[in-house]
Amino acid sequence: MAVDAARALRDRALPMEARFTALFRLRSLGDDRSVDALLDALDASVEPSALLRHECAFALGQMRAGRAIERLIEVMEDEGEDGMVRHECAEALGAMARRESRAIDALTRACGSSTREVSETASLALRKLKSGSVDTGSTVGSAKERASANERVVDGDDESGATPYLSVDPVPAMAASTPMETLERVVLDDTEDMYARYGAMFALRNASYASASSSDACADVLGRVLATSESALLKHEVCYVLGQLQSASPGARDALVRCLEDAREHPMVRHEAAEALGSIAHPSTKDYLETFAKDPEPIIAESCEVALSIMRAEQDNVFIGVDGTVAVIGT
Ligand SMILES: [Fe+2]
Ligand SMILES: [Fe+2]
């Protein structure tokens, strides 16, 4: 199975959506062969799509593939590589939750990077690793995350480092007891510490999961962050969280559309906005995704193609495999 998925991931004649389905499958299998396939595709001389390379880095971090650490460091430090891919490598090193000196040293160097998304991510990852904080994450998620779910049975702290979460947060969520007004104030304040803003954002997401009545209100706050914040890093993560929330809030949906259609916005933000719209799967946004699937920026066009397949999967609860097989995804 890993062999088929690895072959599909490599096959540039296949549509991007099929290659992403293969990537999700490899993340879910999580064996050595799958890690090797993802490492191969992380190489820019092998794989021209920055979108695909960044998703491989993300997957390796979420899988906590210790064997990938060396390569993730190399790619993070490669100044010729796309900023979004380098950012994702830094985030993956943080997600590993291993306080290995080579990762700590590399992240410390990356804090001085002149590429803002790399330096900001490295400092968050470093702080998380050094704090030894308990993981937080999401046990629910979009069709993409459900298709990527780890197949191994996980009960607490398993030796492979696997977690019970569909996704591990790059910064731990603030305590559930934090008042809603505090979370809202911190996440919206552009002068606040980024680590605190991330923590507030994940706490808002968790509050939204915990109570259906606060769900739209939380999504609205996150939508306001998209409209007002200067940080591309924060905004891309807000988009990701809105995709996890799958909120019906029209305010949040509009904010995501504004991000996608703003050509001056960082491609990393526009990409996550597209995928979040796919995950929310509201019929009113399908036209936007179809329009931007023709965007001249490959990261945006490919993201919209993948987002449309996530939208179909959300609506039908299935992903079409690379060989045409239909896989029902867990809920
Ligand atoms: Fe990211
Ligand atoms: Fe992404």
Side-chain angles (χ1 to χ4, degrees), residues 41-102:
L42 187 56
D43 186 338
S45 68
V46 172
E47 176 50 59
S49 165
L51 183 75
L52 202 125
R53 296 199 303 280
H54 110 291
E55 194 73 26
C56 288
F58 178 71
L60 288 163
Q62 293 290 319
M63 291 155 79
R64 301 193 150 166
R67 289 192 310 119
I69 289 179
E70 209 56 60
R71 189 73 193 116
L72 288 167
I73 291 173
E74 281 170 20
V75 178
M76 176 183 73
E77 297 198 316
D78 178 0
E79 296 199 3
E81 177 55 284
D82 184 275
M84 183 172 83
V85 181
R86 297 175 67 201
H87 139 78
E88 216 59 70
C89 290
E91 198 171 277
L93 289 168
M96 297 277 175
R98 295 179 188 224
R99 279 189 274 179
E100 289 186 22
S101 56
R102 56 189 171 151

Side-chain angles (χ1 to χ4, degrees), residues 131-170:
S131 73
S133 58
V134 182
D135 273 334
T136 65
S138 178
T139 51
V140 294
S142 65
K144 163 185 163 176
E145 286 165 320
R146 299 199 302 280
S148 307
N150 193 330
E151 286 207 339
R152 287 166 297 171
V153 178
V154 178
D155 50 351
D157 267 350
D158 127 316
E159 272 191 1
S160 67
T163 75
Y165 300 115
L166 282 180
S167 65
V168 176
D169 299 332

